Amino acid sequence: MLEKLQRALGLKTNPVIFFSSALLVLVFVVVSIAFTDQVDTVFRAASDWAITNLGWFYILGVTSFLVFLLWIAFSRYGHVRLGGKDSRPEYSNVSWFGMLFAAGIGTILMFWGVAEPVNHFANPPFSGAHDQVADAAESAGSSQEFAEQLREIPVGAGDTAPLSENAANEAIGFSLYHFGFHTWAIFALPALAFAYFAYKRGLPFRVSSIFHPLLGDRINGPIGKTIDIVAVIGTLFGVAVSIGLGTLQINSGLNQLFGFEIGATAQILIIAVVTTIATISVVTGLDKGIKWLSNINIWMAVGLLLVVLIAGSTVFLLRGVIESTGNYLSMLVPLSFWNDALPANDWGWQGSWTVFYWAWTITWAPFVGIFVARISKGRTVREFVMGVLGAPVVFSIIWFSIFGMSSINLEWSNPGSLVGPVVQEGDTAASLFAFLENFPAAEFLMALSVLIVVIFFTTSSDSASLVVDMLTSGNSVNPPVRQRVFWALLQGLVAATLIAATGEEALAALQQVITVIGLPFFLIAFVMMYSLVKALKRDTSDLELLPRRARAMLERERRERDKEAEVEPS
């Protein structure tokens, strides 16, 4: 029946995965609209349970991914090429990096580049004064009064005082922890597994393919299809949250520039426009669409970064980049294992920040992982890991150091200018624009920022459409364009419907959902590590595990022996 429907619609897909995923997503949207409170209650309870009882597992899991990737990159398997022995990268390093960044966390850096450092600066994670900060936000009559009350909050021994120098250092360190090596380890692990099984074993770009060493050809049966359906749903929900964040920020920017109304109607219109742009990008294809937009956007983002650096306290910020790097590296190991365990039985700050980030990010893992694998054929395992963990993380360090240190410096010189709107009023989406108001040509910079977010929004939607279609299309690496268009439109429909139904509460509800959905993805990630090592041991020869120079030397020696054998008299 499903195959007949597929033929009637002119599709080229795995009908069970395609139609089941689409139907379940649409059912969830309808049920969420009809029974918003009940759905929210169920997923909130499940999310709270997961955070309270399994938060430690999320923390340990992501750290394990990072350690595993570093080990495999510098092990003897680091020389294995993702493809044939003669395969070489299809994209230059610059284009590859731009596509990595745009498809990964470009939108998130724009959203959180100012907001997260300011939040942690005003309400430090290592502080026992979170309740006092909340009380001050309610009682203060103005932003300046709020900042003054924060400075007067007494803290216990060993705690970090709000708006202090220690709070500034920790704010940047935590921001980089959330968007540095750990985040990209979540992306790099599935990307490496997908690339290996696709280019070395010729398996389709599907999550079920990584189970091949365990299931064999049963990955094409009910178990494999169930895995892929879960991956499709998780990917759509993860992207939907990012679409929601990007929409809120675009709406806030347009409000600052043109007085554009902030509300559900405006946000639905924004989603419709950007989804249309993303659909056009889908139709133009990977090489023309995502690659072209990614290259343009990365240079615009760099331009915005340079403006903040040059127009701000340049020497202070350059010093801040170096110091922030050191703070991040010094905090990296402790934060990798910090579980907010004290006081006992009081899972506090980390449950609503780090654990949520990791659960949210891992729902992106199939999307970003398959997309990164798709553009990484021809690179060695070591080149792949160091590239995916290296270039984007370096950019994230520079970005958060400059935007974060600049926003903290601005708050020091003008108390309440940022902690007021971001922390007291909770208007996270407006944080970047409140920050840019303090620079020359503020309106131009705001407009540029809106454009950057729109393009990051577009490339994320475009990339997700490509990947979801690959997940549902079996062995077809380049399925019909109409299928990618369908997924692009469905992503926009999901976000727009939820916003129309329940406003901002819909996004909060969706965050609860993906926190729960993230749990099985963590379990799958551990299977990825086991399957990858098992496959590498079975598939690679001793010669392939040697460094390139050693292989070339052995090859020359072999050719010389063959020549000698040819001229040797019989």
Side-chain angles (χ1 to χ4, degrees):
M1 175 180 172
L2 292 179
E3 292 182 356
K4 290 182 179 179
L5 179 60
Q6 171 184 248
R7 288 194 295 270
L9 295 175
L11 304 178
K12 184 181 179 183
T13 184
N14 185 306
V16 174
I17 299 174
F18 184 95
F19 291 111
S20 298
S21 301
L23 179 62
L24 287 172
V25 170
L26 291 173
V27 167
F28 176 82
V29 170
V30 172
V31 171
S32 296
I33 295 172
F35 306 101
T36 302
D37 293 339
Q38 292 87 337
V39 171
D40 181 66
T41 299
V42 170
F43 279 101
R44 184 179 298 277
S47 175
D48 290 344
W49 181 89
I51 289 173
T52 301
N53 296 285
L54 296 175
W56 62 270
F57 177 68
Y58 285 62
I59 303 297
L60 179 62
V62 179
T63 298
S64 300
F65 305 160
L66 178 59
V67 172
F68 172 81
L69 287 167
L70 293 175
W71 168 77
I72 203 168
F74 291 100
S75 71
R76 58 179 186 160
Y77 301 118
H79 304 293
V80 174
R81 192 168 292 279
L82 301 173
K85 293 181 180 180
D86 298 326
S87 296
R88 291 297 180 267
E90 299 176 353
Y91 303 99
S92 69
N93 289 334
V94 173
S95 293
W96 187 53
F97 167 52
M99 296 167 79
L100 284 175
F101 183 77
I105 56 173
T107 305
I108 308 305
L109 290 186
M110 291 292 293
F111 192 89
W112 291 108
V114 172
E116 178 155 357
V118 170
N119 263 289
H120 301 334
F121 183 47
N123 194 7
F126 292 147
S127 170
H130 300 304
D131 291 339
Q132 292 93 315
V133 172
D135 292 340
E138 287 188 16
S139 62
S142 66
S143 296
Q144 285 187 335
E145 184 181 346
F146 176 57
E148 291 173 2
Q149 290 188 25
L150 289 179
R151 288 191 170 88
E152 294 173 358
I153 291 176
V155 295
D159 287 345
T160 302
L163 304 185
S164 64
E165 183 177 339
N166 285 340
N169 289 329
E170 291 175 7
I172 302 299
F174 268 97
S175 298
L176 291 174
Y177 169 51
H178 288 150
F179 297 101
F181 289 114
H182 282 71
T183 284
W184 283 95
I186 295 174
F187 295 151
L189 175 61
L192 179 60
F194 293 140
Y196 181 84
F197 287 107
Y199 299 133
K200 296 293 286 186
R201 288 199 171 186
L203 295 173
F205 282 98
R206 288 176 10 203
V207 176
S208 58
S209 294
I210 66 172
F211 286 79
H212 191 259
L214 302 176
L215 300 177
D217 291 339
R218 286 180 294 171
I219 63 171
N220 298 313
I223 296 177
K225 291 175 182 177
T226 300
I227 293 170
D228 291 325
I229 291 169
V230 172
V232 170
I233 294 172
T235 299
L236 287 172
F237 287 164
V239 173
V241 172
S242 295
I243 288 176
L245 291 176
T247 300
L248 293 176
Q249 192 170 34
I250 293 169
N251 195 181
S252 180
L254 294 176
N255 175 262
Q256 292 277 347
L257 289 168
F258 310 112
F260 204 62
E261 179 185 358
I262 293 179
T265 302
Q267 290 157 9
I268 292 171
L269 179 60
I270 291 169
I271 290 174
V273 171
V274 178
T275 300
T276 301
I277 299 173
T279 303
I280 294 172
S281 179
V282 164
V283 173
T284 60
L286 179 63
D287 291 327
K288 294 181 180 179
I290 300 176
K291 178 181 176 181
W292 184 74
L293 287 173
S294 299
N295 287 337
I296 290 177
N297 217 36
I298 194 66
W299 287 115
M300 287 197 299
V302 169
L304 180 63
L305 188 74
L306 292 175
V307 169
V308 173
L309 174 63
I310 296 171
S313 302
T314 306
V315 175
F316 167 77
L317 293 177
L318 291 174
R319 291 165 58 194
V321 171
I322 305 302
E323 188 166 323
S324 297
T325 303
N327 286 334
Y328 170 49
L329 295 177
S330 68
M331 296 174 67
L332 182 59
V333 174
L335 289 183
S336 297
F337 298 93
W338 181 57
N339 269 277
D340 201 9
L342 299 175
N345 301 320
D346 182 17
W347 187 270
W349 178 91
Q350 200 176 38
S352 58
W353 281 92
T354 307
V355 175
F356 166 69
Y357 272 151
W358 293 167
W360 176 16
T361 304
I362 206 164
T363 61
W364 277 48
F367 150 43
V368 179
I370 291 181
F371 179 77
V372 171
R374 177 72 173 80
I375 63 175
S376 300
K377 183 178 181 180
R379 300 182 187 274
T380 66
V381 169
R382 182 171 301 163
E383 290 170 348
F384 178 90
V385 172
M386 299 314 293
V388 176
L389 290 184
V393 172
V394 169
F395 191 90
S396 296
I397 290 174
I398 295 172
W399 185 274
F400 273 102
S401 297
I402 291 177
F403 277 88
M405 292 296 287
S406 185
S407 60
I408 288 171
N409 188 46
L410 176 62
E411 179 60 35
W412 267 330
S413 61
N414 187 10
S417 59
L418 290 178
V419 298
V422 176
V423 182
Q424 184 182 17
E425 299 174 14
D427 192 359
T428 306
S431 59
L432 177 61
F433 305 106
F435 169 74
L436 292 175
E437 282 181 348
N438 298 276
F439 286 82
E443 290 188 355
F444 171 77
L445 294 179
M446 291 181 191
L448 178 64
S449 298
V450 170
L451 180 60
I452 292 172
V453 173
V454 168
I455 296 180
F456 277 141
F457 188 161
T458 300
T459 54
S460 294
S461 178
D462 190 343
S463 305
S465 302
L466 172 68
V467 167
V468 170
D469 199 42
M470 292 170 68
L471 283 171
T472 62
S473 297
N475 292 311
S476 179
V477 177
N478 294 302
V481 172
R482 69 180 66 183
Q483 295 172 194
R484 282 175 281 167
V485 170
F486 168 78
W487 292 115
L489 295 175
L490 183 59
Q491 290 168 33
L493 177 63
V494 169
T497 303
L498 290 173
I499 287 177
T502 54
E504 293 185 5
E505 293 181 5
L507 292 177
L510 191 55
Q511 290 174 2
Q512 301 291 338
V513 171
I514 63 172
T515 300
V516 177
I517 290 178
L519 182 58
F521 281 89
F522 270 95
L523 300 175
I524 290 174
F526 280 96
V527 177
M528 287 183 186
M529 292 189 285
Y530 175 78
S531 296
L532 187 58
V533 172
K534 186 173 182 179
L536 281 165
K537 287 181 178 179
R538 181 182 300 174
D539 298 346
T540 51
S541 64
D542 292 336
L543 179 62
E544 191 174 3
L545 295 176
L546 293 173
R548 184 164 52 184
R549 290 184 179 180
R551 294 200 307 271
M553 184 180 298
L554 290 175
E555 185 65 22
R556 285 196 301 269
E557 291 177 355
R558 184 190 63 78
R559 288 197 299 266
E560 290 175 359
R561 288 196 300 269
D562 290 344
K563 289 181 180 179
E564 291 176 358
E566 290 176 2
V567 300
E568 186 175 309
S570 57

